[in-house]
Amino acid sequence: SQTIHQWPATLVQPVGSPLSLECTVEGTSNPNLYWYRQAAGRGLQLLFYSVGIGQISSEVPQNLSASRPQDRQFILSSKKLLLSDSGFYLCAWSVNRDQPQHFGDGTRLSIL
Amino acid sequence: GESVGLHLPTLSVQEGDNSIINCAYSNSASDYFIWYKQESGKGPQFIIDIRSNMDKRQGQRVTVLLNKTVKHLSLQIAATQPGDSAVYFCAESTAGNQFYFGTGTSLTVIP
C-alpha cells in the first residue's frame, strides 16, 4: 500500500532563517505531488505541484520554492522566512490529476 | 477562483444519529468531488468521491449525494460514532484541473 511521510511534524523558526520541509511517498511510482498551506478557518491553498522529477508548477507568488530531486521526494524551501509563512503545510500525492489526493500529516510551522 | 463553501461551520449530533454535512459549489462545470475528514493535528483523510455523471454514491456508513441542478453536495454519515468527530470538507475540480477546497464543518459527536 502507498504511504506518505512528512517531517518534521512541528517546527519553530526565527524570521529570516531558511526552511526545508521534506515529503516522501512509498508504494507508488511517478506520482503527482502537491504542497498545500492550510490557514485556520480557510480552505487548503495549493502552493506547488509536480508531475515528474524536476517539474514544478507554482500556483501563487510567494517566498517559497519547491523541488523534486527524486521521483517520490518533494521538498518545500525558503531562503528567508517571513512571519506570514507561519501555517500548517501539507504534502499530498495522487496517481494523476483526476484522482483523489492523499495527504500526509502535515508540518506545523511557527515563525518567531 | 472557484467558490466552495459549507453551509454550517459546526454540527453537533448524538451518538447513533445520522449526520448530514453540506457543501455548495459555484462552478457548474465542476465534474469531480471529494469529501475529506480531518482530525486535529492530522492531514485530511479521503472518505469518498463522486463524479458528475452520478448523483449518489455509497461507502461504508457514508453516502455522498450530488445535486448538479443547485450545485450542492452532501455527506451523510449513518449511526455517527465518537470517532467520527472531526472537520469535514469538500473539494471539487473541473476537467482534471486543481482542486478547490471548502473551509470545513466541525462535527462533534455527543456520547
Side-chain angles (χ1 to χ4, degrees):
Chain A
S1 64
Q2 300 87 2
T3 56
I4 180 169
H5 303 280
Q6 274 187 258
W7 66 91
T10 60
L11 187 61
V12 180
Q13 292 283 98
V15 171
S17 64
L19 173 74
S20 180
L21 302 181
E22 189 162 343
C23 172
T24 59
V25 180
E26 296 177 358
T28 186
S29 296
N30 196 33
N32 282 10
L33 297 172
Y34 310 84
W35 278 111
Y36 287 89
R37 178 164 49 206
Q38 186 176 36
R42 302 180 68 178
L44 296 175
Q45 180 187 32
L46 180 63
L47 302 176
F48 300 96
Y49 70 91
S50 171
V51 298
I53 296 174
Q55 300 179 61
I56 309 294
S57 296
S58 174
E59 291 297 314
V60 294
Q62 59 208 308
N63 184 43
L64 303 168
S65 62
S67 61
R68 184 171 178 174
Q70 299 181 47
D71 181 43
R72 290 168 289 176
Q73 183 185 29
F74 207 22
I75 297 172
L76 184 68
S77 305
S78 175
K79 292 182 179 178
K80 284 188 176 182
L81 287 167
L82 306 172
L83 283 173
S84 58
D85 291 324
S86 292
F88 190 47
Y89 289 85
L90 289 158
C91 181
W93 74 272
S94 67
V95 172
N96 58 47
R97 295 196 73 182
D98 198 31
Q99 293 293 319
Q101 294 179 17
H102 302 278
F103 291 83
D105 278 338
T107 294
R108 177 74 59 190
L109 176 63
S110 300
I111 310 300
L112 304 179
Chain B
E2 304 293 334
S3 172
V4 181
L6 296 170
H7 290 178
L8 296 173
T10 62
L11 177 66
S12 294
V13 298
Q14 289 290 142
E15 181 177 358
D17 287 352
N18 297 334
S19 303
I20 299 176
I21 300 171
N22 297 301
C23 184
Y25 61 97
S26 61
N27 185 0
S28 57
S30 296
D31 56 14
Y32 184 39
F33 305 86
I34 301 177
W35 279 102
Y36 286 95
K37 171 187 180 182
Q38 187 173 22
E39 297 176 85
S40 180
K42 293 192 173 182
Q45 177 185 4
F46 171 85
I47 301 173
I48 192 167
D49 59 355
I50 189 168
R51 299 199 184 263
S52 59
N53 61 349
M54 302 175 69
D55 53 20
K56 179 179 180 179
R57 193 164 188 221
Q58 290 183 290
Q60 188 176 13
R61 282 200 308 119
V62 295
T63 300
V64 55
L65 298 178
L66 175 62
N67 186 330
K68 293 181 288 293
T69 302
V70 295
K71 297 195 284 282
H72 182 268
L73 187 72
S74 69
L75 176 70
Q76 301 178 5
I77 305 174
T80 313
Q81 303 168 359
D84 295 327
S85 293
V87 172
Y88 292 81
F89 56 88
C90 62
E92 58 90 14
S93 72
T94 307
N97 291 315
Q98 72 164 290
F99 280 92
Y100 291 91
F101 294 81
T103 52
T105 291
S106 178
L107 174 65
T108 300
V109 181
I110 304 167

